[in-house]
Amino acid sequence: MIIAVDGPAASGKGTIAKALAAHYGLPHLDTGLLYRAVGIAVLRGGGDPSDEGEAFHACAFDEALLTDPGLKSEAAGRAASIVSAHPSVRAALLERQRDFAHQKGGAVLDGRDIGTVIAPEAQAKLFVTASPEVRARRRFEELERMGLAVTYDHVLGDIRARDERDSGRGIAPLRQADDALLLDTSTLDVAAAVATAIGLVEQRRKG
Ligand code: C5P
């Protein structure tokens, strides 16, 4: 079974995707990490993420980068959201994601375009969302725990800017697939969000 989990930044989609993978015994791919790796590779090379040629070149990043703690930074997220708007970057990362989705037994993938572009044939598609304020609060608390000096307003501004870039781009924009089930986590804790997600996948499996 292929499970596609899409949604905006800090919606809880990563936590939900991981929990679904554990529940169904499936491998999981956080596709945002691929774009983050490209973004960080450009930044570390002194390049500009908005330069398509530089971003495309960075798609041949070293695999070790995928476990670099720097990938989780806000700078990496911002750079990822810029490089991900380049068609050649999306094309360069496409096969790798499709191959992961189509491995024997299936997989869980989370991102922005899994249900619409990477695996439109997925048996279960979830679109996980939450209000920008709730998402900013979660991300703010996460960054504070990491010991980073940030303000809530700054994080909220960043989330809104990323939403706008991800939803407004011409290629593979963030949007709910027609056959995706909506899961709003604004008022749910992790346990409730995961339980709801499993319930929705079961609905699709039986239906
Ligand atoms: O999910 P995460 O916040 O790690 O993703 C970082 C950025 O990578 C997103 O803001 C988005 O622009 C891009 N992305 C994408 N398509 C995906 C996954 C992530 O465009 N499937």
Side-chain angles (χ1 to χ4, degrees):
M1 167 173 61
I2 300 176
I3 304 178
V5 183
D6 289 305
S11 58
K13 67 181 186 312
T15 304
I16 287 172
K18 253 184 241 133
L20 287 172
H23 181 81
Y24 290 105
L26 293 170
H28 165 234
L29 179 64
D30 169 358
T31 63
L33 286 182
L34 304 176
Y35 293 95
R36 285 170 180 264
V38 175
I40 278 283
V42 172
L43 293 180
R44 289 189 181 161
D48 174 5
S50 57
D51 182 307
E52 180 156 12
E54 285 174 14
F56 176 70
H57 185 70
C59 290
F61 58 79
D62 186 337
E63 288 298 297
L65 197 51
L66 290 173
T67 53
D68 191 305
L71 286 191
K72 293 285 171 200
S73 68
E74 289 303 275
R78 210 173 304 124
S81 128
I82 296 170
V83 298
S84 69
H86 300 312
S88 61
V89 169
R90 303 204 73 85
L93 300 178
L94 186 79
E95 254 354 89
R96 177 183 189 142
Q97 297 174 76
R98 286 210 170 135
D99 288 350
F100 191 92
H102 290 118
Q103 63 189 291
K104 200 163 171 276
V108 182
L109 290 87
D110 73 86
R112 302 289 187 290
D113 63 339
I114 309 303
T116 51
V117 175
I118 303 297
E121 66 287 2
Q123 285 85 347
K125 298 181 188 178
L126 302 185
F127 191 81
V128 181
T129 192
S131 71
E133 291 75 15
V134 166
R135 291 186 284 124
R137 174 68 49 196
R138 285 179 190 155
R139 184 50 60 85
F140 171 65
E141 287 170 0
E142 190 186 340
L143 293 171
E144 264 198 326
R145 276 197 300 276
M146 287 161 70
L148 298 172
V150 284
T151 65
Y152 168 78
D153 285 344
H154 181 84
V155 176
L156 179 60
D158 218 51
I159 290 255
R160 287 194 197 281
R162 199 117 77 83
D163 283 358
E164 216 172 284
R165 262 200 306 272
D166 289 351
S167 314
R169 67 183 175 217
I171 180 164
L174 169 68
R175 72 166 182 86
Q176 183 178 349
D178 295 338
D179 52 349
L181 296 165
L182 183 67
L183 172 49
D184 189 329
T185 65
S186 298
T187 60
L188 302 177
D189 63 15
V190 171
V194 168
T196 309
I198 292 172
L200 293 174
V201 172
E202 283 304 300
Q203 194 178 309
R204 275 297 142 91
R205 262 193 354 148
K206 288 178 187 137

